[in-house]
Amino acid sequence: MSNIDWANLSFSYIKTEYNVRSYFKDGQWSDLEETTSEQITMHMAATGIHYGQQSFEGLKAFKGKDGKVRIFRMEENAKRLQSSADGILMQAVPTELFTKAVVRAVELNLKFVPPYESGAALYIRPVLFGSGAKVGVSPADEFTFVVFVTPVGPYFKEGFKPTKQMISRQFDRAAPQGTGNLKVGGNYAASMKAGQMAHDNGYSSVLYLDSKEKKYIDEAGPANFFAIKGDKYITPLSNSILPSITNMSLIQLAEDMGLTIERRKVALEELATFDEVGACGTAAVISPIGQIDDIDEDKSYVFGDPKVAGEVSTKLYNKLRAIQYGDEADTHNWVTVL
Ligand code: PLP
Ligand code: COI
């Protein structure tokens, strides 16, 4: 598209041409519908809008030097959407329907996949919600599944430059036995006030501690947290964080690079011992963290040169991107080439 400034895209919505939809009704999913409408019509008593019975996913498609378009690990997003559906009693979208809808949404909008040189990507946003009417708190019997796409740049405007994050005990994103491990809208609603406060104070995001004891690191706003200490890749194990597909991939790449993986509770005090830390996710990719301010304790943690991404994070970032754009062999079979 001639009027899109590909190299300077931010993470925001740009209208594309088509989206695809399927409706669950009378016990079955409909054939995929292809539409140019950006609007959804639904019953005013839909459970999705009253009781937050909804879940979304986020994945990306990349254009390679060879002009081919690659979608990253979409089967994993299908599985996670099924797990979210299970967790809040929605009708799960079968993997085959999910992947077909994702591929179709990309195919119908090929001209919106950013060019290789721009370093941008096509963000794919599947969303599933209860569209059947209920007034009491109970699951809907009708569901709507939509996949739209939009070209995006980095989620954190700094891209692959370190940002500052903020710890505050004032806010919880998810309860210890709640829905933090599911990608449901309620978690994001719960994070908005904290996120706004972080932005207003010059931070890219809130770094959440575990809600029960406030002793361990949970995750970083819309991304998982990882740390590098010597030859170790360390990332929190917690029931209230989202199982990140990017983190899962980085763990594999770190292992391939000969690092030792530690997936365990990460105590807050350990921050002082880490060489590099970062946030990772589909939207964030890797966003290195240069400094973390614990505003309640009036304490700051600084990592290496807080203006420069660490060496291991840089290697991981380059490796992941190389696989996504098709510059390096996809030895783990993560990529679907259209
Ligand atoms: N944590 C939260 C709360 C997120 O919203 C996301 C984004 O999807 C992630 C982590 C990263 O997950 P993924 O790497 O699968 O995008
Ligand atoms: C993603 O990384 O895909 C996300 O969903 C993060 C955010 C936009 C909520």
Side-chain angles (χ1 to χ4, degrees), residues 35-254:
T35 175
T36 56
S37 171
E38 293 170 281
Q39 312 300 321
I40 294 171
T41 304
M42 70 176 123
H43 197 286
M44 61 188 171
T47 60
I49 46 176
H50 290 261
Y51 301 128
Q53 200 185 23
Q54 75 82 240
S55 171
F56 67 96
E57 273 302 327
L59 62 162
K60 279 177 174 169
F62 304 85
K63 189 174 279 173
K65 240 184 234 163
D66 56 6
K68 289 188 180 148
V69 173
R70 293 166 171 83
I71 305 176
F72 191 66
R73 303 198 80 171
M74 63 176 167
E75 293 80 8
E76 292 299 331
N77 294 89
K79 273 195 240 165
R80 191 169 64 190
L81 184 62
Q82 287 158 6
S83 149
S84 297
D86 229 42
I88 58 167
L89 300 186
M90 293 195 290
Q91 183 67 36
V93 176
T95 301
E96 202 191 330
L97 174 59
F98 182 94
T99 55
K100 194 171 159 190
V102 165
V103 168
R104 197 69 195 127
V106 175
E107 278 173 353
L108 288 168
N109 293 288
L110 278 180
K111 61 184 171 197
F112 294 97
V113 186
Y116 172 78
E117 298 74 25
S118 66
L122 188 72
Y123 186 68
I124 305 164
R125 173 53 68 85
V127 60
L128 169 69
F129 57 91
S131 42
K134 292 276 173 181
V135 177
V137 181
S138 61
D141 37 30
E142 291 178 16
F143 294 87
T144 299
F145 174 55
V146 180
V147 180
F148 72 78
V149 299
T150 193
V152 295
Y155 189 76
F156 295 116
K157 66 179 187 319
E158 294 82 356
F160 189 63
K161 295 218 184 70
T163 70
K164 282 202 308 184
Q165 296 210 352
M166 177 196 102
I167 291 172
S168 163
R169 290 159 192 74
Q170 251 182 287
F171 297 98
D172 293 324
R173 176 190 159 270
Q177 318 241 54
T179 56
N181 61 338
L182 311 175
K183 202 162 170 65
V184 298
N187 299 337
Y188 298 83
S191 75
M192 281 193 192
K193 244 187 158 163
Q196 182 81 49
M197 185 174 127
H199 288 149
D200 289 350
N201 288 288
Y203 298 99
S204 65
S205 172
V206 174
L207 182 60
Y208 289 96
L209 299 180
D210 76 284
S211 309
K212 194 171 175 185
E213 298 182 87
K214 304 283 184 195
K215 276 169 64 177
Y216 303 100
I217 294 169
D218 239 2
E219 65 180 331
N224 273 187
F225 175 87
F226 72 90
I228 306 295
K229 182 178 178 177
D231 63 355
K232 289 185 196 146
Y233 179 100
I234 302 165
T235 193
L237 183 66
S238 160
N239 285 335
S240 52
I241 66 175
L242 192 74
S244 156
I245 296 160
T246 311
N247 198 6
M248 196 199 311
S249 310
L250 293 177
I251 286 172
Q252 180 65 59
L253 297 177

